[in-house]
Amino acid sequence: MKKKTARLAYKATTRFDKKIAKSLMNLDYYKAQSANQKNYVHIEKEKLRLSTPRWTKVTDLITNYKLLGYTEKSSSGRAFLGIYKKNKTIALGAPFQKTTNILSIIARTETLLLAYKKIKGNRGALTKGAVVDPIKLQSYSPQQRELYYKSQIFPDGFSIRDLDIVSFLLLKGKYPWGTSKRIWVDKPGNPLKKRPITIPPFMDRVVQEAIKMALYAIWEPDFEKLNRSFGFRPRKTCHDAIAAISSSATTGYFRAIEGDTQEAYDRVEKNIMIAKLQKKIKDNKFIQLIKERLNYDYIDGSTRTKPVLGIPQGGIDSPYLYNIYNHDLDLFVCRDLKGYLHSLNIKKKTVKKALPTKIRKKMIYQKNAHPLPYSQMTKLTLRGSQPRKEQSTHLYFLHKNIRDIRLLQHRIRKIPYYDPNRRTLDLFYVRYADDWIILTNTDQLIAQKLKDKIREFMLTDMGATLSEEKTLITDLRKDKAHFLGFEVSRTPKGRLMYIDGKLTRAPGMPIIIGPDRQRMINKFFTKGFCKENGFPIAVPWLANLEDHIIIERFNASIRGVMQYHGEWVTNISTLNRWIYILRYSCLKTFANKYKSTISKVFKRFGKDLFSSSTKTIGAEVNITIGDVIYVKEWKLLTILSIRNSILAQKRKEKLTKIFWEREKGKIGGYHTNSPNPSITQDNYLDAISWVSLRTQASFHMPCILCRATKNIEMHHIKSIRKSSYTNLEAITFLQMMSLRNRKQIPVCHECHRDKIHGGKYSGPALRTLLSKKLVDNRILHIESYVKPGQEYYVKSLSEKGWAIKQYKLLKGEAYDTDFYDSNSEESD
């Protein structure tokens, strides 16, 4: 009889599309990395060929900026930190005061430069906004017109002068907000459905980022104090929300209300949004700027639309504005609804008092009384110091006691949950953007009342509509709730405890977290890893890649699953099936490539075959540099090899600790080495000062092509990680940007216009000019030098995991070595 193959209980609900599956695989990136690995020696020679001498002027500039980093502090950083500390003291109980003079901080050139630094490398930074309304253009001043015309090429050509113009217009209240462009992108979890993204022009995004920095300083103390909103906040991720749900704060809750707002961003009432901002802000110029920012228009295809409601989903500041918009909902649930449950608890409180502990224990002992304790009875029987008649009597009572104990254990297993009327009703609420969940220990009727109260509040206070289709009430003992890609449930068994002298089973078990199986199988099916029933299949469009690249592509998916779910699920073995699908999809892809079978794939590429838990496949790559052959091995990850490294990070432990610190009243105090410092971290002022100086240094460097020091602007290109070095055009600056993985370089206006973009030019042939070396390669990645500590650091081959395999002798002979050369000085 054939053994049945395990199947998932869930089936994919999406439709497979090969074009979408290919786009989700990011094939261009992996092909480029494969090609660059093959040409490693050539690329290293190119680095030497294109190396430049160090120009004294650049060295002096770097030295000056380093000295400033130890003495000069960011004025914008000081201002934001002052606002944050003021609102922090208010959140902790100080008298309330509104925040003033916000626009004067946002309009500073330094603030705008910090905002530019944060968004310049974002995915889609080069996406252009739409054409401005011609009617608006007629009423523009010369500065507004200049900014508008340059906005058609931003961020390419971005300069300090542009920020000076923006700063001037912001202070005058005449900043010309551009027209956004609406595009439709795949919906996460279901790429066959589209959602609208409204993309503003690049300079609008810079201003929005500056606005968001100010909003962080004002509202973060309130969000930290309440500790219930985790979406789109600094130093917060969806895992903070899951850490809160899985903490001991939710022990005993067995019912969930899953919340979702219908067309959340598009239904925002602009007047209500402004009123909520005015509760904490007293700055008419800033409020007017926000009004103009919310009065946006967009072009979808050829249609221009100016919506009456909503904030654009795609704006830099939109998610945080939405958090502010929903803060009153958070307060309503955590205060008003908790107060409602408290009033029900008072009504249910009985006059009968609990019996004293001594009397309760006596009652329990009398109810389940035995002639002698079991331990004493056993000692009497085994001692044999009594007459045989007495021993037989005691033996009779011993067996009777054993029987009574077993009956008592049987009754305990059947003890129901204690009376719901004696339960203290409570709830626990968590929100992530427009998704929220309430965990409670109420019955179905009270949960429905809570839902109705939330619906009424959202309609009257926010003008929002609760989605009836997605807002579900779930008994977690019988079914599972879904939140942020996880399933939330709990065991139907409770915890035994004494209540009023009676042994009862209380619902005190913690919440169980697992992966959202429906969402997972939809994602795997959409990417082509499995059939709709979860059976793994080959991915044929990966078969033409190199062996190690195929393994690395599947390893990336395995790491993604484990990084997102590994530490957060209650039982990590629930991920075994998903790792199995990815591993066997990889094996079948190899079998497809070599027209073979899985067993033959293991024979050819098998590694660590001594155990079923370690059995995997691997591929080696050799690089010959001079007389040395280096080797590196790629192995397909197993559940055993990845789980230990994931669990060793202890992220859940850290985030749970942060959650409880906030519950006890702590605000801020985060420790991080992120390149983008947040207002809530301890060393914010020092970190933001270094970021400010490093960003200014890029604009104050000379032109990388001609040494000019005036009219410096930034040349931006799209990410070149998806293009191999050999496929790039033979242009020096583009080659150097590829070698250093940079997307921006400082050039003067003339070189930018004439040499790079091929404008009007009557000098020497461009091909001759562009084949020469750059002025100083350090200008290309100056931010790596203007920082504390050592200068630009490059990993050696040994540090990247390459080991020496063979040394070539002069006669062509070779011998193997098994040692790992950790002191190799080969540069990247």
Coordinates of all heavy atoms in Angstrom, one line a residue, residues 242-300:
I242 N 3.1 41.9 17.7 CA 3.0 40.4 18.0 C 3.6 40.1 19.3 O 3.1 39.3 20.1 CB 3.7 39.6 16.9 CG1 3.0 39.9 15.5 CG2 3.6 38.1 17.2 CD1 1.5 39.6 15.5
A243 N 4.7 40.8 19.7 CA 5.3 40.6 21.0 C 4.3 41.1 22.1 O 4.2 40.4 23.2 CB 6.6 41.4 21.1
A244 N 3.5 42.1 21.8 CA 2.5 42.6 22.8 C 1.4 41.6 23.0 O 1.0 41.2 24.1 CB 2.0 43.9 22.4
I245 N 1.0 41.0 21.8 CA -0.2 40.0 21.9 C 0.3 38.8 22.6 O -0.5 38.2 23.3 CB -0.6 39.8 20.4 CG1 -1.4 41.0 19.9 CG2 -1.5 38.5 20.4 CD1 -1.8 40.8 18.4
S246 N 1.5 38.3 22.3 CA 1.9 37.0 22.9 C 2.5 37.2 24.3 O 2.9 36.2 24.8 CB 3.0 36.4 21.9 OG 4.1 37.3 21.8
S247 N 2.5 38.4 24.8 CA 3.0 38.6 26.2 C 2.0 38.0 27.2 O 0.9 37.7 26.9 CB 3.3 40.0 26.4 OG 2.1 40.8 26.5
S248 N 2.4 38.1 28.5 CA 1.5 37.6 29.5 C 0.3 38.5 29.8 O -0.6 38.2 30.5 CB 2.3 37.4 30.8 OG 2.9 38.6 31.2
A249 N 0.3 39.7 29.1 CA -0.8 40.6 29.3 C -2.1 40.1 28.7 O -3.2 40.6 29.0 CB -0.4 42.0 28.6
T250 N -2.0 39.1 27.8 CA -3.2 38.6 27.2 C -3.6 37.2 27.7 O -4.4 36.5 27.2 CB -3.0 38.4 25.7 OG1 -1.8 37.6 25.4 CG2 -2.7 39.8 25.0
T251 N -2.9 36.8 28.8 CA -3.2 35.5 29.4 C -4.7 35.4 29.8 O -5.2 36.3 30.6 CB -2.3 35.2 30.6 OG1 -1.0 35.2 30.1 CG2 -2.6 33.8 31.2
G252 N -5.4 34.4 29.4 CA -6.8 34.2 29.9 C -7.8 34.7 28.9 O -9.0 34.4 29.0
Y253 N -7.4 35.4 27.9 CA -8.3 36.0 26.9 C -8.6 34.9 25.8 O -7.7 34.2 25.3 CB -7.8 37.2 26.2 CG -7.6 38.4 27.2 CD1 -6.7 39.4 26.9 CD2 -8.3 38.4 28.4 CE1 -6.6 40.5 27.8 CE2 -8.2 39.5 29.3 CZ -7.3 40.5 29.0 OH -7.1 41.5 29.8
F254 N -9.9 34.7 25.5 CA -10.3 33.7 24.6 C -11.2 34.1 23.4 O -11.7 33.3 22.7 CB -11.0 32.5 25.4 CG -12.2 33.0 26.2 CD1 -13.4 33.2 25.6 CD2 -12.0 33.3 27.5 CE1 -14.5 33.6 26.3 CE2 -13.1 33.7 28.2 CZ -14.4 33.9 27.6
R255 N -11.4 35.4 23.3 CA -12.2 35.9 22.2 C -11.5 37.1 21.6 O -10.9 37.9 22.2 CB -13.6 36.3 22.7 CG -14.7 36.4 21.6 CD -16.0 36.6 22.2 NE -16.4 35.7 23.2 CZ -16.9 34.5 23.0 NH1 -17.1 34.1 21.7 NH2 -17.2 33.7 24.0
A256 N -11.6 37.2 20.2 CA -10.9 38.2 19.5 C -11.9 39.0 18.6 O -12.8 38.4 18.0 CB -9.8 37.6 18.6
I257 N -11.7 40.3 18.5 CA -12.4 41.1 17.6 C -11.4 41.6 16.6 O -10.6 42.5 16.9 CB -13.2 42.3 18.3 CG1 -14.1 41.8 19.4 CG2 -14.0 43.1 17.2 CD1 -14.7 42.9 20.2
E258 N -11.4 41.1 15.3 CA -10.5 41.6 14.3 C -11.1 42.8 13.6 O -12.2 42.7 13.1 CB -10.3 40.5 13.3 CG -9.8 39.1 13.9 CD -9.9 38.0 12.9 OE1 -9.3 38.2 11.8 OE2 -10.6 37.0 13.1
G259 N -10.3 43.9 13.6 CA -10.8 45.1 13.1 C -10.2 45.6 11.8 O -9.0 45.4 11.6
D260 N -10.9 46.2 10.9 CA -10.4 46.7 9.7 C -11.3 47.9 9.2 O -12.5 47.8 9.3 CB -10.4 45.6 8.6 CG -9.7 46.1 7.3 OD1 -8.4 46.0 7.3 OD2 -10.4 46.6 6.4
T261 N -10.6 48.9 8.8 CA -11.4 50.1 8.4 C -11.5 50.1 6.9 O -10.6 49.8 6.1 CB -10.6 51.4 8.8 OG1 -10.3 51.4 10.2 CG2 -11.4 52.6 8.5
Q262 N -12.7 50.3 6.5 CA -13.1 50.3 5.0 C -12.5 51.5 4.3 O -12.7 52.7 4.7 CB -14.6 50.3 4.8 CG -15.0 50.0 3.4 CD -16.5 49.8 3.3 OE1 -17.2 49.7 4.3 NE2 -17.0 49.9 2.1
E263 N -11.7 51.3 3.3 CA -11.0 52.4 2.5 C -10.4 53.4 3.5 O -10.7 54.6 3.5 CB -12.0 53.0 1.6 CG -12.6 52.1 0.5 CD -13.6 52.8 -0.4 OE1 -13.8 54.0 -0.2 OE2 -14.1 52.1 -1.3
A264 N -9.5 52.9 4.3 CA -9.0 53.7 5.5 C -8.5 55.0 5.1 O -8.9 56.1 5.6 CB -7.9 52.9 6.2
Y265 N -7.5 55.1 4.2 CA -6.9 56.4 3.8 C -7.8 57.3 3.0 O -7.8 58.5 3.2 CB -5.6 56.1 3.1 CG -4.4 55.6 3.9 CD1 -4.3 54.3 4.3 CD2 -3.5 56.5 4.4 CE1 -3.3 53.9 5.1 CE2 -2.4 56.1 5.2 CZ -2.3 54.8 5.5 OH -1.3 54.3 6.3
D266 N -8.6 56.6 2.2 CA -9.4 57.4 1.3 C -10.6 58.1 1.9 O -11.3 58.9 1.4 CB -9.9 56.5 0.1 CG -8.8 56.1 -0.8 OD1 -7.7 56.8 -0.8 OD2 -8.9 55.0 -1.4
R267 N -11.0 57.6 3.2 CA -12.2 58.1 3.9 C -11.8 59.1 5.0 O -12.7 59.5 5.7 CB -13.0 57.0 4.5 CG -13.6 56.0 3.4 CD -14.7 56.6 2.7 NE -15.4 55.7 1.8 CZ -16.4 54.9 2.2 NH1 -16.8 54.9 3.4 NH2 -16.9 54.0 1.3
V268 N -10.6 59.5 5.1 CA -10.2 60.4 6.1 C -10.8 61.8 5.9 O -10.7 62.4 4.8 CB -8.7 60.6 6.2 CG1 -8.2 61.7 7.1 CG2 -8.0 59.3 6.7
E269 N -11.5 62.3 6.9 CA -12.1 63.7 6.9 C -11.0 64.7 7.1 O -10.4 64.7 8.2 CB -13.2 63.8 7.9 CG -14.4 62.9 7.7 CD -15.4 63.6 6.8 OE1 -15.1 64.8 6.3 OE2 -16.5 63.0 6.5
K270 N -10.8 65.6 6.1 CA -9.7 66.5 6.2 C -9.9 67.5 7.4 O -8.9 67.9 8.1 CB -9.5 67.2 4.9 CG -9.1 66.3 3.7 CD -9.0 67.1 2.4 CE -8.7 66.1 1.3 NZ -8.6 66.8 0.0
N271 N -11.1 68.0 7.5 CA -11.4 68.9 8.6 C -11.1 68.3 10.0 O -10.6 68.9 10.9 CB -12.8 69.4 8.5 CG -13.1 70.3 7.3 OD1 -12.1 70.9 6.8 ND2 -14.3 70.3 6.8
I272 N -11.5 67.0 10.1 CA -11.2 66.3 11.4 C -9.8 66.1 11.6 O -9.2 66.3 12.7 CB -12.0 65.0 11.4 CG1 -13.5 65.2 11.3 CG2 -11.6 64.1 12.6 CD1 -14.3 63.9 11.3
M273 N -9.0 65.8 10.5 CA -7.6 65.7 10.6 C -6.9 67.0 11.1 O -6.1 66.9 12.0 CB -7.0 65.3 9.2 CG -5.5 65.1 9.2 SD -5.0 63.5 9.8 CE -4.3 64.0 11.4
I274 N -7.3 68.1 10.6 CA -6.8 69.4 11.0 C -7.1 69.7 12.5 O -6.3 70.1 13.2 CB -7.3 70.5 10.1 CG1 -6.8 70.3 8.6 CG2 -6.9 71.9 10.6 CD1 -5.3 70.4 8.5
A275 N -8.4 69.3 12.8 CA -8.8 69.6 14.2 C -8.0 68.7 15.2 O -7.6 69.2 16.3 CB -10.3 69.2 14.4
K276 N -7.6 67.5 14.8 CA -6.8 66.7 15.7 C -5.4 67.2 15.8 O -4.8 67.1 16.9 CB -6.8 65.2 15.2 CG -8.2 64.5 15.3 CD -8.1 63.1 14.7 CE -9.5 62.4 14.8 NZ -10.0 62.2 16.2
L277 N -4.9 67.8 14.7 CA -3.5 68.4 14.8 C -3.5 69.6 15.7 O -2.6 69.9 16.4 CB -3.1 68.7 13.4 CG -2.7 67.6 12.4 CD1 -2.4 68.1 11.1 CD2 -1.5 66.8 13.0
Q278 N -4.6 70.4 15.6 CA -4.7 71.6 16.4 C -4.8 71.4 17.9 O -4.6 72.3 18.7 CB -5.9 72.5 15.9 CG -5.6 73.1 14.5 CD -6.8 73.9 14.0 OE1 -8.0 73.5 14.3 NE2 -6.6 75.0 13.3
K279 N -5.1 70.2 18.3 CA -5.2 69.9 19.7 C -3.8 70.0 20.4 O -3.8 70.3 21.6 CB -5.7 68.4 19.9 CG -7.2 68.3 19.6 CD -7.6 66.8 19.9 CE -9.1 66.6 19.6 NZ -9.5 65.2 19.9
K280 N -2.8 69.8 19.7 CA -1.4 69.8 20.3 C -0.5 70.9 19.6 O 0.6 71.1 20.0 CB -0.7 68.5 20.2 CG -1.4 67.4 21.1 CD -0.7 66.1 20.9 CE 0.7 66.1 21.5 NZ 0.7 66.2 22.9
I281 N -1.0 71.5 18.5 CA -0.1 72.4 17.8 C -0.8 73.8 17.7 O -2.0 74.0 17.4 CB 0.1 71.9 16.3 CG1 0.9 70.6 16.4 CG2 0.8 73.0 15.5 CD1 1.1 70.0 15.0
K282 N 0.0 74.8 18.0 CA -0.4 76.2 17.9 C 0.5 77.0 17.0 O 1.5 77.6 17.4 CB -0.5 76.9 19.3 CG -1.1 78.3 19.3 CD -1.2 78.9 20.6 CE -1.8 80.3 20.6 NZ -1.9 80.9 22.0
D283 N 0.3 76.8 15.7 CA 1.2 77.4 14.7 C 0.3 77.5 13.4 O 0.2 76.6 12.7 CB 2.4 76.6 14.4 CG 3.4 77.3 13.5 OD1 3.0 78.2 12.7 OD2 4.6 76.9 13.5
N284 N -0.2 78.7 13.2 CA -1.2 78.9 12.1 C -0.5 78.7 10.7 O -1.1 78.1 9.8 CB -1.8 80.3 12.1 CG -2.7 80.5 13.3 OD1 -3.2 79.6 13.8 ND2 -2.8 81.8 13.8
K285 N 0.8 79.0 10.6 CA 1.4 78.8 9.3 C 1.6 77.3 9.0 O 1.5 76.9 7.9 CB 2.8 79.5 9.3 CG 2.7 81.1 9.3 CD 4.1 81.7 9.2 CE 4.0 83.2 9.1 NZ 5.3 83.8 9.0
F286 N 2.0 76.6 10.1 CA 2.1 75.1 9.9 C 0.8 74.5 9.6 O 0.7 73.6 8.7 CB 2.7 74.5 11.2 CG 2.8 73.0 11.1 CD1 3.8 72.4 10.4 CD2 1.9 72.2 11.7 CE1 3.9 71.0 10.3 CE2 2.0 70.8 11.7 CZ 3.0 70.2 11.0
I287 N -0.3 74.9 10.3 CA -1.6 74.3 10.0 C -2.0 74.6 8.6 O -2.6 73.8 7.9 CB -2.6 74.9 11.0 CG1 -2.3 74.4 12.4 CG2 -4.0 74.4 10.6 CD1 -2.3 72.9 12.6
Q288 N -1.7 75.9 8.1 CA -2.1 76.2 6.7 C -1.3 75.4 5.7 O -1.8 75.0 4.7 CB -1.8 77.7 6.5 CG -2.2 78.3 5.1 CD -3.7 78.1 4.9 OE1 -4.5 78.2 5.8 NE2 -4.0 77.8 3.6
L289 N 0.0 75.1 6.1 CA 0.8 74.2 5.2 C 0.2 72.8 5.1 O 0.1 72.3 4.0 CB 2.2 74.1 5.7 CG 3.2 73.2 5.0 CD1 3.5 73.8 3.6 CD2 4.4 73.0 5.8
I290 N -0.3 72.3 6.2 CA -0.9 71.0 6.2 C -2.2 71.0 5.4 O -2.6 70.1 4.7 CB -1.2 70.5 7.7 CG1 0.2 70.3 8.4 CG2 -1.9 69.2 7.7 CD1 1.0 69.3 7.8
K291 N -3.0 72.1 5.6 CA -4.3 72.2 4.8 C -4.0 72.2 3.3 O -4.7 71.5 2.5 CB -5.0 73.5 5.1 CG -5.6 73.5 6.5 CD -6.3 74.9 6.8 CE -7.0 74.9 8.1 NZ -7.7 76.2 8.4
E292 N -3.0 72.9 2.9 CA -2.6 72.9 1.4 C -2.1 71.5 1.0 O -2.3 71.1 -0.1 CB -1.6 74.0 1.2 CG -2.1 75.4 1.4 CD -1.0 76.5 1.3 OE1 0.2 76.1 1.1 OE2 -1.3 77.7 1.4
R293 N -1.3 70.9 1.9 CA -0.8 69.6 1.6 C -1.9 68.5 1.5 O -1.9 67.7 0.6 CB 0.2 69.1 2.8 CG 0.8 67.8 2.6 CD 0.1 66.7 3.4 NE 0.7 65.4 3.3 CZ 0.3 64.6 2.3 NH1 -0.5 65.0 1.4 NH2 0.8 63.4 2.3
L294 N -3.0 68.6 2.3 CA -4.1 67.7 2.2 C -5.0 68.0 1.0 O -5.8 67.2 0.6 CB -4.9 67.7 3.5 CG -4.2 67.2 4.7 CD1 -5.1 67.4 6.0 CD2 -3.8 65.8 4.6
N295 N -4.9 69.3 0.5 CA -5.7 69.7 -0.6 C -5.0 69.3 -1.9 O -4.8 70.1 -2.8 CB -6.0 71.2 -0.6 CG -7.0 71.6 -1.6 OD1 -7.9 70.8 -1.9 ND2 -7.0 72.9 -2.0
Y296 N -4.7 68.0 -2.1 CA -3.9 67.5 -3.2 C -4.8 67.1 -4.4 O -6.0 66.9 -4.2 CB -3.1 66.3 -2.7 CG -3.8 65.1 -2.5 CD1 -3.9 64.0 -3.4 CD2 -4.6 64.9 -1.3 CE1 -4.6 62.9 -3.2 CE2 -5.3 63.7 -1.1 CZ -5.3 62.7 -2.0 OH -6.0 61.6 -1.8
D297 N -4.1 67.0 -5.5 CA -4.8 66.4 -6.7 C -3.8 65.4 -7.3 O -2.6 65.4 -7.0 CB -5.2 67.5 -7.7 CG -4.0 68.2 -8.2 OD1 -2.9 68.2 -7.6 OD2 -4.1 68.9 -9.3
Y298 N -4.3 64.5 -8.1 CA -3.5 63.5 -8.7 C -4.0 63.2 -10.1 O -5.2 63.5 -10.5 CB -3.5 62.2 -7.9 CG -4.8 61.5 -7.8 CD1 -5.3 60.6 -8.7 CD2 -5.7 61.7 -6.7 CE1 -6.5 59.9 -8.6 CE2 -6.9 61.1 -6.5 CZ -7.3 60.2 -7.5 OH -8.5 59.5 -7.4
I299 N -3.2 62.6 -10.9 CA -3.5 62.2 -12.3 C -3.5 60.7 -12.4 O -2.5 60.1 -12.0 CB -2.6 62.8 -13.3 CG1 -2.8 64.3 -13.4 CG2 -2.8 62.2 -14.7 CD1 -2.0 65.0 -14.4
D300 N -4.6 60.1 -12.8 CA -4.6 58.6 -13.0 C -4.9 58.4 -14.5 O -6.0 58.6 -15.0 CB -5.8 58.0 -12.1 CG -5.8 56.5 -12.2 OD1 -5.0 55.9 -12.9 OD2 -6.6 55.9 -11.4

